[in-house]
Amino acid sequence: HPHSCSQHPGTHTMLPLLLLLLPAAHGIAQLRYRPALTKDPQLEGLTTASTFVLDQPRCVFDDYGNADIWLVVALEQAAFNNTAAPGTPETAFQGFPDRVRAYMTLNTTLVNYPCPKPDGDITVLRVGSETSCAQEPTRPTCNGPLPGPGPYWVKFLALEGSVPVAETAWSEPIILRTAKSPNSISTTGSGHSAGMIAITTILSILFAILLAGLVAMLIFWSSDSCSGSSTFSKPESVTVRRYNTHHVYDQPAARL
């Protein structure tokens, strides 16, 4: 009896350990859902230089009503460990991408992802939209602007307490827009500017010629109208003289 009684403390000690190891032994539920950029035609700017827009995971985590749902953003799929806790230096946005290769953000509960979605609801998430907390170490789960074009991979992870219980598949690689290099912008811009300058110069010259012609015509018409009496008097006098001369020479012929 003394020997058998000595085993009871060990039995009571092992039972909690087995209960703690049970979720790990069971593993994380692998959901078939794959995050993707939204295809909502009403939205613009699905990708920018520092953000992208995902569809919300509606009707995905319905079996995990007590879980917090996190978005994991990674530069490499292998860079994230499911046992990493959110809100720690290991998963803080402020260390991304140099010290941290994958961070956790946009945590919420299932109540914010109702299924089916009510009519009129906006069912998207804009990743990278918070600028105020990007440099704030006290906000490690900041949804801060993405630092480069990527590519990035994302997935949703459900945690009950600190225990991961379900996860989606990784998304396809997401590449952000890149701004044109200064060289390409200046070259292209200068080409268009040169063309516009040439056209503007030609039009200006043609307009100047046309304007000069109009001014010359106005001056000519003005001077012509001012001297109109003398101009017309001369042809009339000449005509009269010719007529008189012809008449004078006609008289002898008539007489003959």
Side-chain angles (χ1 to χ4, degrees):
H1 291 288
H3 179 72
S4 61
C5 290
S6 63
Q7 291 182 348
H8 289 292
T11 303
H12 289 294
T13 304
M14 291 297 296
L15 184 58
L17 293 176
L18 291 174
L19 292 176
L20 289 174
L21 291 174
L22 185 59
H26 184 268
I28 302 174
Q30 303 294 317
L31 306 179
R32 298 180 62 183
Y33 180 80
R34 184 184 299 274
L37 295 176
T38 184
K39 296 181 180 179
D40 191 335
Q42 298 180 353
L43 294 176
E44 297 181 357
L46 301 186
T47 59
T48 67
S50 60
T51 69
F52 58 88
V53 182
L54 297 174
D55 280 325
Q56 293 180 358
R58 298 293 182 100
C59 308
V60 175
F61 293 96
D62 292 347
D63 295 334
Y64 306 93
N66 296 325
D68 290 326
I69 303 167
W70 292 82
L71 178 70
V72 179
V73 182
L75 282 173
E76 305 162 2
Q77 298 180 22
F80 182 73
N81 185 348
N82 282 336
T83 61
T88 63
E90 185 182 0
T91 58
F93 170 80
Q94 288 75 18
F96 187 80
D98 298 328
R99 302 186 309 275
V100 174
R101 304 296 287 177
Y103 66 94
M104 300 175 70
T105 187
L106 291 175
N107 61 302
T108 188
T109 59
L110 195 60
V111 69
N112 291 316
Y113 293 148
C115 177
K117 77 178 186 69
D119 292 337
D121 270 15
I122 299 176
T123 60
V124 298
L125 300 172
R126 182 172 288 277
V127 182
S129 61
E130 294 184 70
T131 57
S132 59
C133 57
Q135 303 297 327
E136 183 55 56
T138 60
R139 294 280 308 279
T141 61
C142 176
N143 179 30
L146 296 162
Y152 300 97
W153 283 264
V154 298
K155 72 175 179 179
F156 291 99
L157 178 66
L159 300 180
E160 290 183 352
S162 60
V163 179
V165 293
E167 65 176 349
T168 67
W170 287 100
S171 68
E172 296 295 331
I174 299 172
I175 300 176
L176 304 187
R177 295 184 180 184
T178 55
K180 292 182 178 180
S181 65
N183 292 335
S184 64
I185 293 176
S186 61
T187 301
T188 306
S190 62
H192 288 299
S193 299
M196 293 300 294
I197 292 173
I199 293 174
T200 304
T201 303
I202 293 172
L203 291 177
S204 299
I205 293 173
L206 292 177
F207 180 76
I209 294 173
L210 179 61
L211 183 61
L214 289 174
V215 171
M217 291 179 66
L218 289 174
I219 293 174
F220 175 78
W221 288 342
S222 176
S223 62
D224 191 52
S225 61
C226 291
S227 59
S229 57
S230 60
T231 303
F232 285 106
S233 62
K234 291 179 180 179
E236 286 179 359
S237 61
V238 172
T239 302
V240 171
R241 287 174 184 175
R242 287 178 180 176
Y243 176 76
N244 291 339
T245 304
H246 180 70
H247 182 68
V248 170
Y249 285 107
D250 270 353
Q251 287 180 353
R255 291 174 182 176
L256 293 172

